[in-house]
């Protein structure tokens, strides 16, 4: 049975020097999907929920899937460092951006922003041990700190 213990959101992000930030400053409006079309992406495999979300958003606008330049299994520090040094785009949990402050920032394109729940999963009608209850409570109590990239003590 799922138990929600916290959450975050997925956002489109890029290097702070990405040309799309200049487009945003010139127009003083949020970016549109057409603005993102010329740029490649760092995305997980097609089997991932995040990739499906991005691909479906493009398809809903009658567009081909985005150009994936770097396909990754996970958003690792190394993969995000590549994004930070290029004009690639990525779709990452906002908590990663806090850890990459100054190197990545969210684009002013909110159409793909996706809230997510962090859940603990157990078998239906399973008896929770005191250790599991303590873990659940600790995660719930510290969810804001974890999302901020500061897991506390």
């Amino acid at each position: 049975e799922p138990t929600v213990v916290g959450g975050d959101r997925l956002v489109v992000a890029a290097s702070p020097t990405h040309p799309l930030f200049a487009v945003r400053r010139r127009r003083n409006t949020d970016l549109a999907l057409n603005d993102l079309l010329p740029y490649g992406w760092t995305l997980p495999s097609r089997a991932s929920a995040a990739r499906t979300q991005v691909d479906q958003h493009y398809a809903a606008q009658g567009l081909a899937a985005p150009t994936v330049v770097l396909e990754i299994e996970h958003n690792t520090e190394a993969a995000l460092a590549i994004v930070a040094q290029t004009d690639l785009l990525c779709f990452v949990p906002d908590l990663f951006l806090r850890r990459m402050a100054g190197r990545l920032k969210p684009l002013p394109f909110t159409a793909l922003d996706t809230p997510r729940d962090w859940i603990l999963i157990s078998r239906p009608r399973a008896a929770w041990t005191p250790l599991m209850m303590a873990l659940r409570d600790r995660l719930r109590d510290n969810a804001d700190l974890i999302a901020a990239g500061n897991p506390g003590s």
Side-chain angles (χ1 to χ4, degrees):
E1 295 179 14
T3 301
V4 176
V5 294
D8 63 4
R9 67 188 177 103
L10 294 173
V11 298
V12 178
S15 163
T17 61
H18 197 287
L20 287 172
F21 288 107
V23 170
R24 163 65 162 91
R25 283 191 299 274
R26 269 195 316 273
R27 288 200 313 232
N28 200 28
T29 62
D30 281 352
L31 299 170
L33 185 60
N34 285 340
D35 297 320
L36 279 56
L37 294 178
Y39 300 98
W41 287 74
T42 296
L43 287 171
S45 72
R46 289 190 187 277
S48 78
R51 174 74 172 274
T52 299
Q53 173 97 7
V54 173
D55 289 352
Q56 286 178 346
H57 188 76
Y58 272 67
Q61 304 300 314
L63 300 169
T67 302
V68 177
V69 175
L70 179 61
E71 188 171 278
I72 56 176
E73 278 302 313
H74 305 285
N75 285 303
T76 62
E77 183 85 21
L80 296 179
I82 291 169
V83 174
Q85 296 173 28
T86 64
D87 285 343
L88 293 175
L89 306 175
C90 60
F91 192 47
V92 296
D94 58 355
L95 69 97
F96 282 41
L97 300 182
R98 293 181 191 114
R99 289 191 302 196
M100 303 267 315
R103 297 189 292 160
L104 285 180
K105 68 187 236 185
L107 281 173
F109 177 77
T110 57
L112 275 170
D113 284 10
T114 306
R116 300 187 310 171
D117 287 332
W118 303 338
I119 59 172
L120 289 177
I121 300 173
S122 62
R123 291 185 317 274
R125 296 175 303 286
W128 281 52
T129 66
L131 182 59
M132 273 306 288
M133 288 187 276
L135 174 64
R136 177 201 58 211
D137 295 344
R138 180 79 179 227
L139 288 171
R140 280 183 179 160
D141 293 346
N142 291 291
D144 290 341
L145 292 173
I146 294 167
N150 182 11
S153 56

